[in-house]
Amino acid sequence: MLRLCGGAFGPRVAICGLTLAACGGGTTDPPPPPPPPLATGCGGTATPSVSVTLDLTPGQHVTLDNTADVRAFRLAGSEAPRDYQVIVQSASEAPGQSVDGCIRVRAERASGNVTPSVPSRLTSTGGESSRDLRRRASWFGRERVLRERDLQELAAVGAQPIRSRTPGLDPLNLADALRPPDLGDTLSFRVGVGADLVVNCRNPTIVMGEVRYAGEYFTIVEDLQFHDQPDSDRFSADEFEAIGRQLDEVVYPVDVAYFGEPADIDNNGTVFALITAEVNKLTPAGEESVVAGFFLARDLTSRSSCEASNEGEIFYLVGPDPDEDYGSDISISFANALARSTVAHEFAHLLNTQQRVTLGSGNIFGDREVAWLDEGMAHLAEEVAGLRAAGLGTRANLDLDMITASEEQLSIYNHFHIVNQIRLGRFLRGGCPPDPDGPAAAPALGDAAGEDPGGVESLAFRGFAYGFTRWLGDQFGASGSGGALPGSREEELFRYLASGGPAHFKGITNVERTLRAVAGVEMEWEELLSLYLASLVADDRAPADADPRMQWKTWNLPALFRQLSDSNLGDRCPFTRTFPLTPSRVNVHVSTNSSTEFTVNSSTGRYFSLVSSGATPGLIVEVMDPAGASLPGRAQTQVTVLRTR
């Protein structure tokens, strides 16, 4: 199949406006001269059969997914310069899979001497802006490990989820309802996580804590162990109030709008945020990847089946510990930033689980969302909370200057946005230090089991997922006013995606079914992937006639990353270039004959820029394995070609 889209074209428009051997109508060119014999480079000397010629106008793009078309296609020449972005993709839905390939680009009358294409030199200084940023960015891979171990333990003990209360009843009017706690109350909680992230349903640690904030939706409790510290090393009453108000007024309403209501299984009308030294103890002194906080599914199961369950909605958060009394040093300002963004993220995980299990009667093991999409929505929760806190909305084409216009907005940006943009930048660069294959090096769908790959790879994995969910909301969320944020009503899309619908679909199938049910769009993963990957190089840079689905609406990616590169973060990967994604450049002229070997992971793409400075010769583009054969069917190879000039 071959898909063409330009400004006036919808999805999957039939091709007859291009020069195609199998298509009548449209422009016609004389048959190209037979290609010259090839020298060795990218595998062998065989002359390929070219069955399709692409004669695109600026802004038009085509996605080829027929094996013969992918193997060799022609780009029509012109007396004027023509530039292209070519993205070789594996549309495979199998996580942890990769394929080795090679692309050869040659002018039709070029010599047979192949010149290897050298990717642009990438410079890395090996870190983000500061130690705190490194620690924040790296934590979530360990969070996923912790939640995986929690589910394994629940399965081992046969834990049973608590189901929803009777619909339509106010839990605070029920005979067995618990009153919301008051400021100053002392409460007890069970913590079943120990050193090395070992989880256990049995013999939990009992933690006593004091209520330091009692709000409309959230209750913040401070572990009494922290009372042994000097007041200067703890949050003040004003700081608890400020954190709590932001959770109540920003995080709760936007997370609930996007991901659904909490079930309130403990009938107390509140969600607990427990700041406990037991979380601090999970990060030994000197450790760089700090455990910031977490939600555990065990707290949604009955205590009779898991003794460590708190049978309610609760998060566990790290507290200030500048003197390393309980673990690695955590300053008050660092703990403050962690509390805000971590709750936005973990609350999304809790709500997604409750939509599927507690309220949706699903299986706590088999019906949970796959890792990449679950994390994508949780990182989106951080972003939309940050937009609400700053008084901004979606689809405003924001850049760094627009979102940090005041000191307050700068603080909000640092709490909610910067780490997501580090992750996205790492995906675009293929990691830090950068990988020549760029985004193609990212484990987009996770490891072979579909789980978070952990370590530094987790950052690019999460960057892919966050970027995809943001682009999805921009393109397919409902337009109009009256939404949770100014600019759109995209939350309707994500509420359905969070639950997976009545059948609790997951992953790619969930995305396809949600678009069908909510947006009325019939689109398969291959096409969604090609548009998303194209958007990463086309946003705010493609010609005006380009397909609008190749744009981001909430962020102006080129401006955002250019400003980050110009900022005090600019000497740190992934911001050392004006834009993190650096396609391999092929200079187009009458002697062009270059080849590049690459590796592409499932649901990613390898980017190439074909750039001419004068008249553009006809080009033969071949995509193959290193030996010269077609790429294997398991890769589900497709190639998107976008003419940019």
Side-chain angles (χ1 to χ4, degrees):
M1 181 184 298
L2 182 150
R3 300 189 293 272
L4 165 69
C5 289
F9 295 89
R12 298 180 180 270
V13 173
I15 309 298
C16 282
L18 297 179
T19 308
L20 299 177
C23 213
T27 61
T28 58
D29 289 341
L38 296 180
T40 300
C42 253
T45 60
T47 301
S49 173
V50 179
S51 61
V52 58
T53 294
L54 308 180
D55 192 5
L56 305 177
T57 59
Q60 280 187 324
H61 79 276
V62 167
T63 294
L64 304 165
D65 59 10
N66 177 274
T67 300
D69 294 340
V70 167
R71 177 63 183 81
F73 59 92
R74 178 177 181 266
L75 297 176
S78 170
E79 293 300 317
R82 292 189 174 193
D83 295 346
Y84 300 92
Q85 292 288 345
V86 177
I87 312 170
V88 181
Q89 305 151 54
S90 168
S92 170
E93 301 176 17
Q97 189 177 93
S98 65
V99 64
D100 294 329
C102 191
I103 186 172
R104 180 159 47 206
V105 180
R106 61 191 177 86
E108 288 180 314
R109 294 173 180 81
S111 73
N113 297 318
V114 176
T115 303
S117 175
V118 179
S120 299
R121 184 169 59 87
L122 302 177
T123 303
S124 170
T125 55
E128 283 79 56
S129 65
S130 68
R131 179 169 177 254
D132 281 355
L133 271 182
R134 289 196 301 272
R135 298 165 92 195
R136 286 177 61 192
S138 62
W139 147 239
F140 283 108
R142 296 179 70 193
E143 169 236 24
R144 191 78 193 185
V145 170
L146 179 58
R147 292 199 292 118
E148 285 300 314
R149 291 180 179 177
D150 182 49
L151 287 171
Q152 291 168 6
E153 173 69 0
L154 295 180
V157 302
Q160 297 299 310
I162 300 170
R163 299 302 182 182
S164 63
R165 62 182 182 269
T166 304
L169 292 181
D170 180 353
L172 299 183
N173 291 330
L174 292 173
D176 60 350
L178 303 175
R179 67 173 177 84
D182 292 326
L183 200 64
D185 283 355
T186 299
L187 305 175
S188 68
F189 297 90
R190 297 165 180 242
V191 180
V193 181
D196 298 321
L197 304 184
V198 173
V199 296
N200 200 320
C201 270
R202 309 162 196 84
N203 303 316
T205 299
I206 303 300
V207 171
M208 303 301 295
E210 178 187 355
V211 175
R212 300 300 306 274
Y213 174 83
E216 184 176 2
Y217 302 114
F218 278 97
T219 298
I220 303 178
V221 180
E222 182 188 32
D223 188 338
L224 294 184
Q225 294 179 80
F226 288 126
H227 288 201
D228 294 334
Q229 296 178 311
D231 288 347
S232 60
D233 289 350
R234 298 166 54 200
F235 287 138
S236 66
D238 287 345
E239 286 169 321
F240 275 113
E241 177 73 15
I243 295 170
R245 286 178 64 85
Q246 190 168 77
L247 299 186
D248 264 347
E249 297 171 7
V250 173
V251 171
Y252 186 93
V254 76
D255 267 20
V256 166
Y258 272 70
F259 307 112
E261 296 275 351
D264 194 21
I265 59 175
D266 48 5
N267 295 330
N268 62 2
T270 196
V271 177
F272 286 108
L274 174 62
I275 298 176
T276 172
E278 298 306 312
V279 176
N280 293 68
K281 293 173 186 177
L282 300 179
T283 306
E287 181 82 23
E288 283 297 293
S289 180
V290 63
V291 176
F294 46 85
F295 145 74
L296 295 176
R298 69 177 52 197
D299 290 313
L300 306 183
T301 66
S302 66
R303 189 169 297 161
S304 61
S305 62
C306 177
E307 184 185 345
S309 173
N310 285 293
E311 295 187 321
E313 290 81 7
I314 181 173
F315 310 100
Y316 308 86
L317 300 175
V318 71
D321 186 18
D323 296 329
E324 299 186 328
D325 292 327
Y326 301 105
S328 187
D329 63 297
I330 304 289
S331 68
I332 289 178
S333 61
F334 187 31
N336 194 321
L338 289 173
R340 300 163 194 259
S341 60
T342 301
V343 171
H345 181 103
E346 298 299 332
F347 194 28
H349 283 314
L350 185 153
L351 293 173
N352 290 354
T353 302
Q354 289 204 318
Q355 305 317 303
R356 289 171 173 269
V357 178
T358 313
L359 298 168
S361 299
N363 185 296
I364 197 169
F365 309 111
D367 287 328
R368 67 189 184 95
E369 185 54 272
V370 299
W372 74 267
L373 188 53
D374 194 27
E375 295 301 340
M377 287 189 280
H379 288 304
L380 183 75
E382 300 167 38
E383 181 212 83
V384 294
L387 293 177
R388 183 180 176 93
L392 299 169
T394 61
R395 305 188 184 181
N397 212 34
L398 297 166
D399 61 23
L400 187 62
D401 291 343
M402 295 167 67
I403 203 167
T404 59
S406 67
E407 285 298 318
E408 180 183 9
Q409 287 185 330
L410 177 60
S411 176
I412 291 167
Y413 174 81
N414 286 328
H415 287 159
F416 290 100
H417 296 295
I418 179 58
V419 179
N420 270 341
Q421 288 161 9
I422 288 171
R423 296 184 188 106
L424 179 59
R426 280 180 173 256
F427 165 59
L428 296 176
R429 295 202 78 167
C432 288
D435 191 292
D437 286 326
L445 302 183
D447 61 18
E451 298 299 342
D452 188 319
V456 295
E457 287 189 318
S458 177
L459 301 175
F461 160 80
R462 291 164 182 272
F464 167 88
Y466 159 68
F468 179 80
T469 54
R470 167 39 56 214
W471 172 82
L472 194 74
D474 281 349
Q475 290 300 329
F476 301 105
S479 302
S481 59
L485 295 172
S488 72
R489 291 182 290 108
E490 68 176 18
E491 64 270 16
E492 298 167 10
L493 182 79
F494 291 107
R495 282 181 77 116
Y496 196 95
L497 194 67
S499 70
H504 306 308
F505 289 114
K506 299 180 289 185
I508 290 169
T509 301
N510 187 17
V511 172
E512 294 171 342
R513 297 296 182 97
T514 295
L515 291 182
R516 183 184 308 166
V518 179
V521 172
E522 294 278 352
M523 194 175 292
E524 295 179 351
W525 179 246
E526 292 83 357
E527 187 169 7
L528 286 166
L529 181 68
S530 69
L531 290 168
Y532 169 51
L533 294 179
S535 78
L536 301 175
V537 287
D539 180 57
D540 283 289
R541 292 190 287 193
D545 289 339
D547 189 330
R549 297 173 302 171
M550 294 191 302
Q551 299 295 306
W552 288 42
K553 299 179 182 179
T554 296
W555 298 98
N556 181 328
L557 293 182
L560 172 68
F561 282 107
R562 182 177 64 252
Q563 291 161 349
L564 283 166
S565 182
D566 290 340
S567 76
N568 63 313
L569 304 182
D571 63 344
R572 305 287 184 173
C573 183
F575 304 130
T576 52
R577 286 183 172 269
T578 56
F579 195 70
L581 174 52
T582 309
S584 292
R585 179 180 173 119
V586 177
N587 293 316
V588 173
H589 45 74
V590 294
S591 300
T592 294
N593 196 1
S594 70
S595 64
T596 305
E597 293 190 9
F598 59 86
T599 299
V600 59
N601 286 332
S602 294
S603 290
T604 64
R606 181 65 157 86
Y607 291 74
F608 300 88
S609 291
L610 279 53
V611 181
S612 61
S613 57
T616 305
L619 298 172
I620 303 298
V621 181
E622 300 175 72
V623 178
M624 65 197 91
D625 72 12
S630 296
L631 290 172
R634 64 177 175 80
Q636 295 181 242
T637 309
Q638 58 185 27
V639 178
T640 296
V641 181
L642 166 66
R643 183 176 168 190
T644 55
R645 182 174 64 147

